[in-house]
Amino acid sequence: MTRTVYVNGEYLPETEAKVSIFDRGFLMADAVYEVTSVLDGKLIDFEGHAVRLKRSLDELDMAEPCTKEELLDIHRKLVELNGIDEGLVYLQVSRGSDGDRDFVFPSADTPPTLVLFTQNKPGLADNPAAKKGAKIISIEDIRWGRRDIKTVQLLYPSMGKMMAKKAGCDDAWLVEDGFVTEGTSNNAYFVKAGKIVTRPLSNNILHGITRKAVMRLAKEAQMEVEERLFTIDEAKAADEAFTTSASAFVMPVVEIDGVALGDGTPGPIARRLREIYLDEARKTAI
């Protein structure tokens, strides 16, 4: 089935969608993105994604392509047109194109490029991988210094996922100056003696929308949460671990660098947080 996608004000069959070869998202990775999950045909944490999108645009001095209300309408229409019950809506904004390649930004009146498309993911909430748990490897973090801006500069995270795949694992955690920053596409946590530990927010990690929700829900459930730097060895010695992201929600981690955590199965805190988050997400979806 051919999807309907959105490109600069038009809803088009994906086979007819076009963006200029001079677009700065293509030439310079001069673009930002967001991914919003869909459950029961409704958008999860849309407000948080919209706020973070504006922050990313502001940090890069990039124009907003439309209002938040217009963006919500586009999301909802794409979900409807493509019949998405469980899945994702991908959004990308680039600085656009003035018709040629140049390191210097185009003039301020150059319209940004706005692209959205859906991905149908039946069983997204009931993902078998969450029951099994993920195996993680650690790799050096060599990305640029503004990871808090959600840009499309995803080459090294993609390489990290391939390193994990070649090692027979599911994902990688990135380590810088001896401390874990985050996963290739998620925030990282471990649990020791009932305490949840995760790195504090800074320019070094993405300010995860799911992270924010899960941290709030954990505290409301009387779980102890500590935000601090931690090493991969601390995580390997943990009782359990997990990651959070918009597309995987709360994903238990059962092995790090070949070391099994606990009994090698998803831990009780990760399982409970996933349950709580999905319940809350469905209640507040729009």
Side-chain angles (χ1 to χ4, degrees):
M1 177 181 172
T2 300
R3 284 174 291 187
T4 297
V5 301
Y6 178 94
V7 182
N8 294 332
E10 294 186 276
Y11 294 90
L12 301 164
E14 61 181 289
T15 52
E16 298 177 17
K18 297 179 181 179
V19 174
S20 170
I21 65 166
F22 299 112
D23 191 274
R24 287 181 61 88
F26 173 64
L27 294 177
M28 306 282 188
D30 189 2
V32 300
Y33 77 103
E34 287 289 337
V35 180
T36 302
S37 286
V38 178
L39 292 178
D40 307 321
K42 295 182 179 180
L43 300 164
I44 304 299
D45 285 329
F46 175 81
E47 176 69 21
H49 289 289
V51 169
R52 186 173 62 183
L53 174 65
K54 185 178 186 309
R55 180 183 183 277
S56 293
L57 293 169
D58 289 346
E59 290 294 311
L60 296 178
D61 196 23
M62 198 180 295
E64 292 182 66
C66 62
T67 67
K68 183 173 69 174
E69 290 72 26
E70 289 169 334
L71 207 56
L72 177 58
D73 287 343
I74 297 168
H75 276 71
R76 284 174 164 166
K77 187 166 183 178
L78 283 177
V79 169
E80 179 184 357
L81 289 172
N82 292 293
I84 305 298
D85 182 60
E86 291 192 352
L88 308 170
V89 181
Y90 178 91
L91 170 158
Q92 181 167 311
V93 184
S94 86
R95 206 179 301 273
S97 167
D98 59 3
D100 209 341
R101 181 184 183 275
D102 198 330
F103 279 91
V104 176
F105 290 175
S107 61
D109 60 355
T110 301
T113 296
L114 175 61
V115 173
L116 291 92
F117 59 82
T118 58
Q119 293 181 304
N120 191 34
K121 302 279 188 180
L124 185 67
D126 193 28
N127 187 348
K131 296 179 175 66
K132 180 181 177 182
K135 295 182 179 180
I136 300 296
I137 63 169
S138 61
I139 61 175
E140 183 182 0
D141 195 340
I142 59 173
R143 299 171 298 163
W144 81 315
R146 290 303 306 275
R147 301 147 195 170
D148 57 307
I149 305 173
K150 196 171 177 68
T151 72
V152 299
Q153 299 176 45
L154 298 173
L155 178 58
Y156 188 63
S158 295
M159 292 173 67
K161 286 189 183 291
M162 290 307 298
M163 292 179 210
K165 184 177 180 180
K166 289 178 182 178
C169 294
D170 304 292
D171 207 347
W173 282 6
L174 306 165
V175 179
E176 183 177 57
D177 298 328
F179 298 103
V180 175
T181 48
E182 57 192 344
T184 58
S185 59
N186 42 57
N187 292 117
Y189 313 72
F190 75 86
V191 181
K192 187 69 174 179
K195 180 189 293 184
I196 301 167
V197 178
T198 193
R199 189 179 179 111
L201 295 178
S202 69
N203 288 354
N204 294 320
I205 67 170
L206 183 68
H207 299 192
I209 302 306
T210 307
R211 176 192 187 278
K212 181 178 180 180
V214 168
M215 296 276 279
R216 173 179 59 81
L217 292 168
K219 291 172 183 176
E220 289 177 0
Q222 306 301 310
M223 296 179 184
E224 186 178 1
V225 179
E226 182 180 8
E227 295 181 74
R228 65 168 175 82
L229 302 184
F230 65 92
T231 68
I232 200 72
D233 284 339
E234 282 187 277
K236 286 160 66 174
D239 301 322
E240 58 177 295
F242 60 93
T243 61
T244 60
S245 67
S247 58
F249 312 122
V250 179
M251 177 61 64
V253 170
V254 297
E255 179 183 297
I256 300 175
D257 286 340
V259 177
L261 306 186
D263 63 1
T265 64
I269 288 181
R271 294 198 311 269
R272 180 58 179 153
L273 282 174
R274 182 179 177 87
E275 179 184 19
I276 293 172
Y277 175 78
L278 284 171
D279 182 59
E280 177 73 8
R282 282 192 158 106
K283 288 178 181 177
T284 58
I286 60 173

